[in-house]
Every structure is written in structure tokens, then in C-alpha cells.
Amino acid sequence: MADKQDGSDETGDARPETDAERRRRRAQFLRELHEAKALRDRVQPRRARAARMRQAMRMRTFRW
């Protein structure tokens, strides 16, 4: 296991990350995640449609 969790290449920098850095990393992660999901939907349209249908069923049966 790696010592650093964020995977950055900074060496010996023990300062805590700022909110702006954390938000920037999170935004980058979410962009990549959205891109990967879109790619999967394009490559496997039937599976993507089935997943959408399951999600819609979950939303219809959700109780507040």
C-alpha cells in the first residue's frame, strides 16, 4: 500500500491540503467518472438501458 492516499508526486510536503486543492481534485475525479460512465453507456447500450430502468424503478418505489 502507498503511504500517500491522494497519489500526488509531492515529496516531503507535510502541509495540509487547502479546500481549493481538495475541490479541484474532486472536480477532476467527478469529470473523469462522468466521462467513464458515458463511455460505458455508448459501448454497452443495452446494459445502460437496463441500468436506467432499474434506477427509475428504484426512484418510483422509494418511500420518503
Side-chain angles (χ1 to χ4, degrees), residues 14-59:
R15 67 176 175 79
E17 68 177 350
T18 64
D19 284 344
E21 290 170 341
R22 186 183 61 78
R23 284 193 300 269
R24 188 170 35 254
R25 281 193 309 112
R26 183 175 186 273
Q28 176 67 27
F29 170 77
L30 291 175
R31 275 193 300 272
E32 291 174 358
L33 180 65
H34 181 72
E35 182 181 340
K37 285 183 178 180
L39 176 63
R40 185 181 63 198
D41 290 351
R42 282 195 308 272
V43 173
Q44 301 175 336
R46 183 178 295 174
R47 185 173 292 178
R49 181 174 186 271
R52 279 195 310 272
M53 298 299 277
R54 283 192 301 273
Q55 177 64 17
M57 183 61 72
R58 266 186 248 125
M59 295 306 287

